[in-house]
Amino acid sequence: MSHIRITKQFSFETGHALYGYDGKCKNVHGHSYKLSVTVIGTPIGDTSHVKFGMVIDFGDLKKIVKEEIVDVYDHATVFNKNTPHVDLAKELSNRGHNVLLVDYQPTSEMMVTDFAEKIKTRLPEHISLHSLKLQETETSFAEWYASDNM
């Protein structure tokens, strides 16, 4: 049976700031992110299986990505937990804002790497994460490929 890649797209709104950066992105700002998640596998060949012919049910993939990424990052502000932004993060959090402190500079490159690790742990054994594309603006995106990270 052939290996097939399937892709599901997601969108979410997230704020962040890049501490120590020498441009405008040192300021707290936000993006309308678009995330494309591509998995690869062999379609289920058992004709009696309820998901016969599917690599993975798009609904099952949606559940994983929503729980791990979209529901966590949507309308949150992300800061590197090792920067002075921690004081601002605590203040915002104390005022009821959704704040995430991460172990990395919250660039698209680092976020897509983090997302890949989170999604991979939730996929069924017979499905592999092939790639992610995290689009930060209409013309800027970061991509993660399994083949580049073996």
Side-chain angles (χ1 to χ4, degrees):
M1 177 83 54
S2 298
H3 279 87
I4 304 295
R5 297 174 192 164
I6 65 164
T7 302
K8 181 122 181 91
Q9 297 177 321
F10 303 87
S11 60
F12 54 95
E13 310 292 327
T14 301
H16 69 156
L18 303 180
Y19 177 72
Y21 183 66
D22 63 354
K24 291 180 182 180
C25 293
K26 68 182 176 187
N27 299 303
V28 177
H29 64 289
H31 298 285
S32 297
Y33 287 98
K34 294 177 186 172
L35 177 66
S36 297
V37 178
T38 301
V39 298
I40 188 168
T42 304
I44 296 168
D46 178 357
T47 57
S48 65
H49 195 287
V50 67
K51 296 185 181 181
F52 170 63
M54 296 180 180
V55 171
I56 185 173
D57 187 318
F58 282 114
D60 294 340
L61 183 57
K62 178 181 178 180
K63 181 179 187 312
I64 292 167
V65 177
K66 274 187 57 50
E67 289 175 1
E68 292 295 327
I69 310 304
V70 177
D71 291 346
V72 176
Y73 285 81
D74 190 38
H75 286 82
T77 304
V78 185
F79 296 108
N80 181 327
K81 73 176 188 179
N82 298 314
T83 71
H85 283 127
V86 171
D87 292 335
L88 174 59
K90 287 178 185 172
E91 177 67 23
L92 288 170
S93 186
N94 289 340
R95 292 176 181 254
H97 290 262
N98 184 7
V99 176
L100 301 174
L101 296 175
V102 295
D103 292 329
Y104 53 82
Q105 181 82 304
T107 62
S108 289
E109 295 90 336
M110 298 304 292
M111 289 171 66
V112 78
T113 300
D114 181 37
F115 295 173
E117 293 306 313
K118 289 176 176 167
I119 294 168
K120 284 192 304 185
T121 63
R122 294 281 307 275
L123 291 173
E125 287 183 20
H126 66 285
I127 306 295
S128 298
L129 183 60
H130 176 268
S131 62
L132 296 178
K133 177 180 178 181
L134 182 62
Q135 192 163 345
E136 183 175 280
T137 69
E138 194 62 34
T139 60
S140 304
F141 56 89
E143 292 181 294
W144 178 96
Y145 284 88
S147 61
D148 296 338
N149 292 283
M150 297 191 140

